Amino acid sequence: MLPPGLRAGLEAVSAPLLAHDGEHIAFANDTMLRLLGRSAEELALLAPEAWAAEAQQAQLRDYGRRCLDSDDAPPAIEIEAITASGSSRHLEITARRLDSEPGAPRLVLLTCQDLSDMRHVQNSLLEVGRVMYQIVENGPVASYVIDSNHRVTHWNAACAQLTGRSASQMLGGDETWRAFSEQARPTLAQLIVDGRVESDGATYYGDGLHHSPLLPDSYAFEGFFPELGPHGRWLYVTAAPLRGVGGQVMGAIETLQDVTARHEAEEQLRRHQAELESTVAQRTAELRLTHQELEAFLENASVGIISTRDFQINRSNRKFAQILDLPEDANVPELPMRRFFLDDADYHDLGRMAANALRSNTSLVHEMWLQTWTGQRIWVQMIAYASNHAGTTPSMWWLLQDRSEVMRAQEELVRNYRNIQETNARLEEAQNQLLQSEKMASIGQLAAGVAHEINNPIGFVNSNLGTLRRYVEQMLALIQAYGTREVQPIDAELVALKQAADLEFIAEDLPELLDESEDGLSRVRKIVQDLKDFSRVDHADWQDADLNAGVESTLNVVMNEVKYRADVKRNYGTLPPVRCLAGQLNQVFMNLIVNAAHAMPTERRGLISLTTGVATQDEREWAWVEVGDDGCGMPPEVQRRIFEPFFTTKPVGKGTGLGLSMAFSIVQKHGGRIEVDSTPGEGTRFRVWVPVAGPT
């Protein structure tokens, strides 16, 4: 137990105090009890080290015993205390030995200082620093930073790639010019640090040096650097001062954008100059120096930057105010976030996504429409990083960039794409019209052939019928004469009529005339039937058809194109019914047979072979029809193009170049294929394969 006077004195101390004898806790003042969230009775039941984190209890126990056993005060230590609610507090502990009355046990007095709030602030600054370092280091724009003594304090990866000099070569040095030229010349950042831009800038960088419109007190120029790369590079250079709280220049940041490609394009297309749109997202450097330098960076950044806590703005930079057209006297932390959203749905959706990013400790990338202070709609890209996500007041850093021009360009691309689709539709319609023209040409050819074939039998039928009429008239005249007169033994007129009629010849010739007439009419009926079978007008849908009958009817229809040029050899196999569009396949056979006839040389009569068969391939049954000829054949360069639309080897006006293209499309629609084998001077063989069961 402590003497009453000593106890009263320790109670008056505002710092947390705890005394123990190495085995039991003898005293804890009210501040210590509130810190640990325990009563004096509860604490008295614990071991002296039990209120520390389990991993540090042995350290705290040994620390107290060393203090009891030694006359010297041990150095302070840091201990993580566990409160009654389970939360942790970081404490700095100093031990001192208390010597009480003689005979009384020795006590050690632990004085505690709560470091939790300080650690919280340190962790917050580290989180912010880590985020800003990632923004700078991973930014796509080459950048470096110098201090007031021209020493390089930051050299990001993009700058190292651009110049070929690594950060280890440049950091700490004050000869930045060596990365860009062979002769000593102050960089734009050095001129800004020295305050010599206005006086000496034109001397080193010419009249192209100008105030940058992005930030006040910043400068920019565009120049050629022959030492960069094998052929030199054009760079667009911007530099801005970094100022402290008092406004003094503490350094400068310089960014370099490679615009060589644009200059080369302008040189090549100088007669057709176009405005090049360049969207530069500058994620400038966090300098790992002081809080003042961080503030200078935020204010001079070329993207809008804000910090939010509970989805309420607590910090912002000038660029953010420019993007949203905020008035100069606007107090940004007091502005409601809802003010910049088009509707409640957008506001709540972004809030939900931000909350998810906070919970998962991931970044958020999002684009959406916002409205400025003046009500103008803008398309904004947002990149958000969670900071202090585990704290009691979670917060986020937001980077905002106005991408309205990019959005408008994308909308223009969509409109152009739709125009291209409409143009393709019109082209497809034109192609269909050409295919229809080819079909009409085929129909015309068929009509000519059919007319020629029908004219022959109709001609001799007509002639025979005329002769038959004269015979009948003579016979009728004779019969009438016999009927009106009594037959006399000798009647000179009847004798003359009988001799003129030649009844014996009529009786012999009349049956032959009738036979020929019937044969001619049969041929006409067959030609008409073949034409009907070929066209399949009454069977336009998918059906089971006999390909042998289709080939034969097609041959009869185009016989006018064939019979004067070549003989036909038929070798039909036994085919099962094939599921197909018979009329379209007949059109394929017609094109192949007519092409075979046209391939025959004029000096001799050729031979066309028609062969059919069936085979099993890939566990499917296939029917095939082959049209072969011994004509002129085709060289390889012609074979490669025969199925191209509008390609033809015939003279102008003799062919459209769509016959084989259409045949290829029809066979492809049936799930089949066409094989070609041709040798110049020897002939050509086309084999059409179609599945018996139809296309899958």
Side-chain angles (χ1 to χ4, degrees):
M1 297 293 292
L2 293 177
L6 179 58
R7 175 182 291 274
L10 295 179
E11 285 288 358
V13 177
S14 61
L17 299 177
L18 184 146
H20 67 84
D21 60 1
E23 299 295 336
H24 304 91
I25 296 176
F27 169 78
N29 67 353
D30 290 341
T31 307
M32 188 66 177
L33 294 176
R34 288 195 301 272
L35 176 66
L36 296 179
R38 299 178 182 273
S39 65
E41 291 76 11
E42 293 175 340
L43 200 61
L45 299 177
L46 300 178
E49 70 279 0
W51 50 272
E54 184 177 356
Q56 295 180 322
Q57 290 181 2
Q59 179 186 2
L60 181 60
R61 181 176 61 251
D62 295 341
Y63 182 66
R65 291 177 178 176
R66 286 201 311 271
C67 182
L68 290 172
D69 297 338
S70 174
D71 294 332
D72 298 327
I77 63 173
E78 288 191 16
I79 291 295
E80 182 181 1
I82 306 300
T83 67
S85 63
S87 62
S88 63
R89 307 289 292 181
H90 290 277
L91 306 178
E92 182 183 68
I93 298 178
T94 304
R96 294 291 185 273
R97 192 174 66 187
L98 291 177
D99 293 326
S100 58
E101 298 177 356
R106 291 183 176 183
L107 298 177
V108 57
L109 179 64
L110 303 181
T111 304
C112 305
Q113 181 180 359
D114 192 351
L115 303 179
S116 300
D117 293 338
M118 185 182 302
R119 286 293 179 86
H120 176 74
V121 173
Q122 290 175 347
N123 291 336
S124 298
L125 290 176
L126 287 175
E127 288 291 337
V128 172
R130 185 177 298 109
V131 171
M132 299 312 298
Y133 175 79
Q134 292 175 2
I135 293 174
V136 173
E137 184 61 26
N138 298 329
V141 179
S143 61
Y144 70 90
V145 178
I146 63 173
D147 60 14
S148 58
N149 295 320
H150 295 184
R151 290 190 298 270
V152 178
T153 60
H154 187 81
W155 190 271
N156 73 351
C159 194
Q161 182 178 3
L162 177 68
T163 61
R165 290 177 175 266
S166 64
S168 61
Q169 294 176 289
M170 301 302 298
L171 291 178
D174 59 358
E175 295 181 342
T176 315
W177 59 268
R178 292 187 180 276
F180 306 102
S181 63
E182 295 181 352
Q183 297 179 351
R185 181 179 69 167
T187 63
L188 187 55
Q190 291 173 334
L191 292 177
I192 289 177
V193 170
D194 296 341
R196 297 190 295 133
V197 179
E198 296 293 340
S199 59
D200 299 341
T203 303
Y204 296 105
Y205 298 105
D207 297 334
L209 181 63
H210 59 278
H211 282 281
S212 174
L214 300 176
L215 297 170
D217 299 333
S218 63
Y219 294 85
F221 77 93
E222 192 167 293
F224 183 70
F225 292 79
E227 288 78 15
L228 294 180
H231 305 294
R233 290 179 177 173
W234 282 90
L235 300 181
Y236 181 76
V237 182
T238 59
L242 300 176
R243 299 183 184 276
V245 175
Q248 72 277 14
V249 176
M250 304 181 64
I253 179 172
E254 184 168 316
T255 61
L256 307 103
Q257 181 185 357
D258 189 350
V259 294
T260 306
R262 176 167 61 81
H263 273 269
E264 292 176 352
E266 289 175 352
E267 182 65 23
Q268 295 174 358
L269 305 175
R270 57 183 179 274
R271 296 182 181 178
H272 305 282
Q273 291 185 356
E275 294 182 0
L276 298 179
E277 178 181 352
S278 175
T279 304
V280 180
Q282 297 183 347
R283 299 174 181 173
T284 52
E286 186 278 326
L287 306 179
R288 294 164 56 180
L289 294 176
T290 63
H291 182 67
Q292 291 81 2
E293 289 175 325
L294 177 60
E295 289 290 339
F297 160 73
L298 292 176
E299 284 302 312
N300 292 285
S302 61
V303 296
I305 301 178
I306 62 173
S307 174
T308 62
R309 181 174 289 111
D310 295 331
F311 214 51
Q312 179 62 38
I313 301 175
N314 54 43
R315 301 180 62 176
S316 67
N317 67 345
R318 280 195 294 267
K319 188 62 178 178
F320 174 76
Q322 293 173 6
I323 292 175
L324 295 176
D325 291 337
L326 298 180
E328 295 182 358
D329 57 349
N331 188 0
V332 177
E334 295 181 358
L335 298 178
M337 288 281 284
R338 174 64 182 85
R339 176 71 171 76
F340 306 111
F341 292 84
L342 300 182
D343 52 43
D344 291 335
D346 288 348
Y347 175 75
H348 293 304
D349 287 344
L350 185 61
R352 185 180 66 257
M353 288 186 287
N356 293 336
L358 279 171
R359 283 194 294 269
S360 59
N361 192 24
T362 58
S363 62
L364 168 65
V365 180
H366 186 59
E367 294 189 13
M368 65 183 306
W369 287 107
L370 296 180
Q371 62 180 359
T372 65
W373 182 266
T374 59
Q376 180 183 357
R377 292 181 59 190
I378 57 174
W379 183 260
V380 177
Q381 181 191 58
M382 307 176 190
I383 304 177
Y385 300 88
S387 62
N388 190 28
H389 63 280
T392 57
T393 56
S395 59
M396 298 187 75
W397 284 98
W398 298 76
L399 306 180
L400 290 85
Q401 187 173 16
D402 185 356
R403 296 177 61 87
S404 301
E405 292 298 327
V406 175
M407 189 62 179
R408 281 190 281 271
Q410 291 176 347
E411 292 174 348
E412 181 65 23
L413 287 176
V414 171
R415 286 193 293 271
N416 292 338
Y417 174 70
R418 289 174 179 168
N419 291 336
I420 291 174
Q421 285 183 317
E422 293 176 359
T423 303
N424 287 338
R426 289 194 294 268
L427 288 175
E428 183 177 359
E429 182 179 356
Q431 184 181 15
N432 291 334
Q433 292 175 354
L434 288 174
L435 290 175
Q436 188 65 25
S437 298
E438 173 65 16
K439 293 179 180 178
M440 295 302 294
S442 300
I443 291 173
Q445 187 179 28
L446 287 175
V450 170
H452 181 80
E453 291 298 321
I454 291 177
N455 280 338
N456 288 334
I458 287 180
F460 63 73
V461 168
N462 187 45
S463 176
N464 290 346
L465 291 177
T467 303
L468 181 60
R469 183 178 292 108
R470 291 195 303 272
Y471 291 166
V472 171
E473 289 175 351
Q474 292 173 355
M475 292 178 67
L476 290 176
L478 177 60
I479 294 172
Q480 289 174 357
Y482 274 114
T484 57
R485 300 180 185 181
E486 294 182 1
V487 179
Q488 300 296 328
I490 299 176
D491 191 332
E493 183 179 358
L494 290 178
V495 173
L497 289 174
K498 182 178 180 181
Q499 292 177 350
D502 195 1
L503 293 177
E504 294 179 357
F505 176 76
I506 291 175
E508 180 182 351
D509 194 35
L510 183 59
E512 295 179 0
L513 292 177
L514 294 175
D515 291 342
E516 290 179 359
S517 298
E518 291 176 355
D519 180 62
L521 293 176
S522 297
R523 289 172 60 184
V524 171
R525 284 196 302 272
K526 186 175 187 308
I527 291 172
V528 173
Q529 183 62 40
D530 288 339
L531 181 58
K532 181 179 178 182
D533 293 341
F534 167 76
S535 62
R536 293 281 178 164
V537 176
D538 54 344
H539 296 85
D541 296 329
W542 292 87
Q543 60 175 313
D544 293 333
D546 184 358
L547 294 191
N548 286 338
V551 173
E552 185 63 24
S553 63
T554 302
L555 176 62
N556 291 334
V557 169
V558 300
M559 183 57 72
N560 186 56
E561 293 286 339
V562 176
K563 64 184 180 180
Y564 301 113
R565 298 172 179 265
D567 297 325
V568 179
K569 178 182 178 182
R570 300 172 177 82
N571 185 17
Y572 298 154
T574 302
L575 299 181
V578 177
R579 189 72 176 174
C580 64
L581 296 171
Q584 293 189 12
L585 286 184
N586 288 346
Q587 194 170 9
V588 174
F589 303 149
M590 182 196 73
N591 285 324
L592 296 181
I593 294 172
V594 171
N595 285 348
H598 290 173
M600 297 302 174
T602 57
E603 63 273 8
R604 65 175 175 84
R605 187 171 180 83
L607 176 64
I608 296 176
S609 59
L610 302 178
T611 310
T612 64
V614 65
T616 301
Q617 296 180 359
D618 301 329
E619 299 181 355
R620 298 179 66 191
E621 193 174 20
W622 295 76
W624 55 269
V625 176
E626 181 178 291
V627 179
D629 65 72
D630 59 353
C632 59
M634 295 180 290
E637 58 271 16
V638 173
Q639 294 184 46
R640 286 192 295 267
R641 302 187 59 190
I642 57 176
F643 296 114
E644 294 180 8
F646 310 113
F647 175 76
T648 179
T649 58
K650 297 178 181 178
V652 177
K654 296 296 184 179
T656 63
L658 292 174
L660 287 179
S661 174
M662 183 173 60
F664 182 85
S665 299
I666 292 173
V667 174
Q668 195 174 43
K669 181 193 299 185
H670 284 74
R673 65 184 187 276
I674 300 181
E675 296 177 351
V676 184
D677 183 15
S678 182
T679 303
E682 297 182 6
T684 302
R685 177 184 61 83
F686 284 89
R687 177 172 287 191
V688 177
W689 293 82
V690 291
V692 172
T696 56

